[in-house]
Structures are given as structure tokens and as C-alpha cells.
Amino acid sequence: EYIWYCGMGVDFMSSVRVSVIIPTRNVAENIANIIKAVSKNCIGLDVEYLIIDMNSTDSTIRNALNAIKANKLNGFVLQNGNSTVGSALNTGIYKASGKYISFVFARTLYSDFIPSYYELAEKKGADFVFASSKLSDKEAKALAVGLNNIKGEDLATAIARSIISVEIPAIMLRNDFVQSNRILFSENCRRGYAEQYIYKIALSNPKTAFSEFKLKKDTENQAPIKESNDNKELHILERVDAIREIAELVEARFGNDRELCELFRYEKLPDVIMNCVDTLLKNGVKPSSIKTAMKIKRCDEMLEVSKNAPSSLKKRVFIWKKFPKLYKPQ
């Protein structure tokens, strides 16, 4: 059951252009500055702010409400209970009334991208807009041209092969596109939900626009990243579940595209499994414990690589399967 806390902002009946969805948990010291920083950059753009709280035990909710009121914003706070981030984001999607949707993460905060994304989305009639922090101006221009009229499966391939990098805290989606294709986050995965969502977007064949806006972290206003034992916990293997579901989605939708199916089933999926193994080993988890957890999740059955897979991946898989005690994490 959701609990609503409405802000005292502008008229809720106004025509919202962008819904900014902000999942929160225990960021009381930072949430007001985050809301203020985002809204300051969006002056003149009709935005609604949806703060979806995941059972904060501090004053996050109160501070968020005060920030909405103090800055005279159109927004509200929803208490989503002790939920996953995926569940909180889905709640925001359900409630969003804007033409476009963007996600803002308190601990991975990018600055100033929303207005430029909106302008590009309107100009191009785009369903999906993203940018990069890593490309040179020349590379960004080339990518912007290359993504014109790209097919969804080609976009997914480029992401899977790390030709293109997309980050959930710096994208914009057309709301109608999301709703009509029912593109929702997995609510069961604590790891891999964002990566999975990007593939769901790509495989829904969006009209894509790459923004040449240079992404920059807002380190001044973002909440500090809390130390976590997540990388020592075996639930990191939930990332495997997320990508396995994508491999199954590819096979269901693009079964005739053998190359695409093989890419996700016999390259991307084994690569994700081995990356999880690497992370766990680096954080002191014993190979025997990893093997046991992988057996429960049937990961060993998924550690099959195609003949076209990179030789480095083939080698990693072979050593881990045959000589786990000799395997060295990458």
C-alpha cells in the first residue's frame, strides 16, 4: 500500500513535459540539495518530481517535501515500503504524467542533462535519449549520426559488445513508448536490474537519439556512496538472472536471428557469470562457496560459449570450470 505525501507546488493540472523519478532511501542530508539542483537547471520546463521512498528511517521524506514546497515545485513523495529500487522505479513509472520520463539517482547524480535531452527528444521525435561522459566531441558526433534509424536489435548488440555505454541515471524515455511496450524494471533483482532495463528498451525498437551533451557527475550535491557488503554476498548472482531473462527475451522475439541469440546466450551470459565470479573472488569469497551458489542457480549450465566468443572469455570459462582453484579473477 502506497502512502502519498503531496507537495505544495504548482498546479497539478498543468501539462507536464518531464517526470523526474527519484528513488530514495536514507538520504536526508542530501535530498533537498538534489531536488534544488535538478529544478534549478529545469527552470522554464514543466517538470514534475516524483520522489519514491523505500522505507527511509531518517528525515528523507520530510526534507523532500520541504524542498518541493520551498522551491514551489510540482511534485510529491510516495512511500513505497521496504522495496527494491526496481519496485520504486516502477511505482514512479506508473504515476508519471509527463510526456517524457527521466531517472535521478541520489548517489549517482548527473548534472544539467534534462533540458538538452528534452530539446533533442522533441526535435527528433525520439523515444529514447542518452549521452556519454567518455567520448570525445568527434566520437560523440559520429555516434549521433550512427544511431540514426538504428534497429533495436542492432542497438542491443552494440550495448552488449560495449560499443555503446548507457547509464540509467542519465537517460530520457517517451512515456507513451514505455507504457505501450510495458517496459518495467525487475522487482526481484537487487543487482542487474538497470542493465536489464536498458536491454528491454533497446529490444523494444525505440527511435533513438544520442545527445552530444557531455555528461558530468554532480559530486557536490550527490549523496555519498555508502560502504556495502553487497560484493561479498552471493546475491550478486542475481545479475545472472537478469541477463538470462534478456537472453530468453531475445530468443522469443528474434528467434530467427541466430547471431543475436548466440551473442546473448553464449557470450553475454557467460561473460556476466564470470564477472560475478571475479567480483566475489576479489572480495574473499571461497571458490567452493561460489560453486555451490552457482549450482543452486544452475549457472554452470549457462557457462557455454560459442565458437565466435572472444578467446579471453573461452579461456576464463575453461579454467574456472576445470581448475577453479587455479583461476585468477580478471
Side-chain angles (χ1 to χ4, degrees), residues 16-301:
V16 175
R17 309 315 293 167
V18 182
S19 295
V20 175
I21 300 169
I22 309 177
T24 59
R25 180 185 283 129
N26 294 334
V27 288
E29 294 182 3
N30 305 91
I31 189 60
N33 284 341
I34 290 168
I35 292 171
K36 183 178 180 181
V38 176
S39 63
K40 184 177 180 181
N41 183 243
C42 293
I43 292 174
L45 182 61
D46 196 351
V47 176
E48 69 172 357
Y49 298 86
L50 289 69
I51 291 81
I52 315 297
D53 190 74
M54 298 170 287
N55 210 33
S56 288
T57 56
D58 60 10
S59 57
T60 295
I61 290 175
R62 183 176 69 247
N63 293 356
L65 282 167
N66 288 340
I68 289 172
K69 183 177 180 180
N71 293 283
K72 299 180 180 180
L73 303 176
N74 175 1
F76 57 82
V77 179
L78 259 173
Q79 190 173 21
N80 203 55
N82 188 20
S83 60
T84 62
V85 179
S87 175
L89 293 169
N90 284 343
T91 295
I93 290 171
Y94 289 137
K95 300 299 181 183
S97 61
K99 183 176 180 180
Y100 300 97
I101 295 172
S102 271
F103 309 109
V104 168
F105 282 63
R107 292 187 169 90
T108 311
L109 185 65
Y110 287 98
S111 61
D112 304 345
F113 69 90
I114 292 175
S116 63
Y117 277 23
Y118 171 76
E119 183 179 349
L120 182 61
E122 288 284 85
K123 180 180 178 181
K124 299 288 188 179
D127 300 315
F128 175 41
V129 181
F130 69 99
S132 173
S133 59
K134 301 175 182 178
L135 300 179
S136 66
D137 291 345
K138 184 177 180 180
E139 290 170 331
K141 285 182 181 295
L143 184 56
V145 173
L147 287 174
N148 281 338
N149 301 316
I150 189 172
K151 293 180 180 179
E153 55 266 41
D154 293 335
L155 178 62
T157 296
I159 295 169
R161 295 196 183 284
S162 300
I163 298 169
I164 295 174
S165 176
V166 185
E167 298 183 68
I168 283 288
I171 65 173
M172 183 170 285
L173 297 163
R174 187 166 60 85
N175 200 346
D176 285 348
F177 169 75
V178 173
Q179 302 297 341
S180 61
N181 289 283
R182 292 191 54 78
I183 307 174
L184 297 173
F185 287 87
S186 170
E187 299 191 358
N188 300 318
C189 291
R190 286 165 289 182
R191 301 296 290 264
Y193 66 90
E195 182 180 17
Q196 184 193 69
Y197 194 73
I198 292 297
Y199 285 120
K200 286 181 179 180
I201 293 168
L203 293 168
S204 297
N205 198 34
K207 184 173 183 181
T208 301
F210 178 79
S211 173
E212 295 177 36
F213 179 86
K214 194 78 169 180
L215 286 176
K216 293 181 181 179
K217 288 277 185 70
D218 185 352
T219 55
E220 180 179 350
N221 291 303
Q222 75 178 18
I225 298 174
K226 292 185 176 181
E227 290 188 13
S228 172
N229 289 322
D230 278 2
N231 289 339
K232 298 181 181 180
E233 300 294 337
L234 293 170
H235 66 64
I236 193 174
L237 291 172
E238 290 176 4
R239 185 184 172 207
V240 177
D241 296 329
I243 299 305
R244 174 184 52 78
E245 290 177 10
I246 292 301
E248 292 171 353
L249 177 63
V250 168
E251 290 161 356
R253 290 190 186 177
F254 305 95
N256 294 328
D257 190 334
R258 182 178 176 181
E259 185 177 346
L260 185 67
C261 291
E262 285 191 356
L263 169 63
F264 279 91
R265 176 65 67 177
Y266 300 115
E267 289 187 46
K268 185 62 184 179
L269 187 55
D271 183 59
V272 166
I273 293 172
M274 293 311 303
N275 287 342
C276 290
V277 170
D278 289 351
T279 299
L280 290 168
L281 287 172
K282 288 177 181 177
N283 284 281
V285 182
K286 294 181 179 179
S288 58
S289 298
I290 300 173
K291 281 281 189 180
T292 300
M294 289 177 64
K295 185 175 182 180
I296 293 171
K297 282 191 168 288
R298 302 176 70 177
C299 291
D300 286 340
E301 298 175 20

